[in-house]
Amino acid sequence: MTLIVHGARKLDADGIIDDFWFAASADRITATGTGDGWRAVAASDPSAAVTDAAGGWLTPGFIDLHGHGGGGTDFDHDLDGIRTALAVHRAHGTTRSVLSLVTNPVDTLAGSLGIIADLAHADPLVLGAHLEGPFLADSHRGAHNAELLVEADAAVIATLLAAARGTLRQITLAPELPGGLDAVEAFSAAGVVVAVGHTAASFEQAQAAFDRGATLITHAFNALPGIHHRQPGPIVAAFGDERVTLELILDGVHVRPEVAALAFAAAPGRIALITDAMAATGAGDGHYELGSLDVTVTDGVARLTSGGSIAGSTLTMDVALRNAVDLVGLDPVVAVTALTLTPARVLGLDSELGLLAEGYAADAVLLDADFAVQQVWANGVAL
Ligand SMILES: [Zn+2]
């Protein structure tokens, strides 16, 4: 099956090209060009599916490193719920997802990791699981249950890695806790991206975690020390370390646009926009569960019913792109890079995901002039 999209305004980390086309065979982009070159490809395969983009923006598929659910459900329970939530995000341009699990008892987490492992082995659009907990700092737990936080030890780490069967992509932990730095090293050695987050770590403690293998900051500015001129904290440590990328929730609530602009300027090419989306995404205001905690969503803002901490977002990646351009004022190339090539690089997948180029996965999003999603393809198939 050949897929052709032509007449597009290509937008990816390599820049903008007008009257762009690509052709894909099976799940890969096999050729790109400008103008009428696509016609020769179409002539050689009369069964090709051809789309005229009519000058619309065409970007790589969005890659969400951190999201919990949508459509009224989440990634913590069963396969049906996972599929329902994924469908919401795929319709908004997210073609590859890392499925985040909130803190739960270790046995429950192991069960969820097993379900996600089965799905990840069957569905290439599911990149694996993200454990947000249970090795988090109580002082910065945000919307995680204090009673379920545990110290990292080798036995628990081994249990979680075994349950995930090679599909644990990311873990958020607080490196300053007992066993924290050893956990950074153990997960890194197992090929898991380690993120510093839900942490009270100082500048120096964050640097120590990076030196032991951590390469990511979980939702920068949220649930970790901010920037103080005498206590620069983990964010400034990450700004200064080329090995480290910072997640950012750009929903206009978690981080002010002016501060987001500062982060993009301080760590060029190292900001990954995420959703951190919870069940209410695409489902409306009301009462929801986040792991074992009750959440109330009002005007699209999710907060713990008890205490009022922000409890994830109701963001989708296309809205994050619009916010990056409209609220932060970023160049569209910089904005789209933070949703595509940068998260691909964090996962070590930037040779096959994150660009509209030959050899890359046939994942693409067609958007109108205002960045509203018109059509999504993943692995060469229209979603
Ligand atoms: Zn989260």
Side-chain angles (χ1 to χ4, degrees), residues 66-68 100 102 130 132 144 198 218-219 276:
H66 183 164
H68 297 270
S100 299
V102 295
H130 163 217
E132 194 168 14
H144 294 262
H198 289 282
T218 292
H219 40 54
D276 199 17

Side-chain angles (χ1 to χ4, degrees), residues 125-167:
L125 306 187
V126 173
L127 297 176
H130 163 217
L131 280 173
E132 194 168 14
F135 314 128
L136 308 179
D138 185 54
S139 61
H140 291 77
R141 67 181 182 274
H144 294 262
N145 188 334
E147 292 169 12
L148 301 177
L149 304 179
V150 298
E151 287 183 7
D153 71 55
V156 177
I157 293 169
T159 298
L160 295 170
L161 286 173
R165 285 177 276 136
T167 64

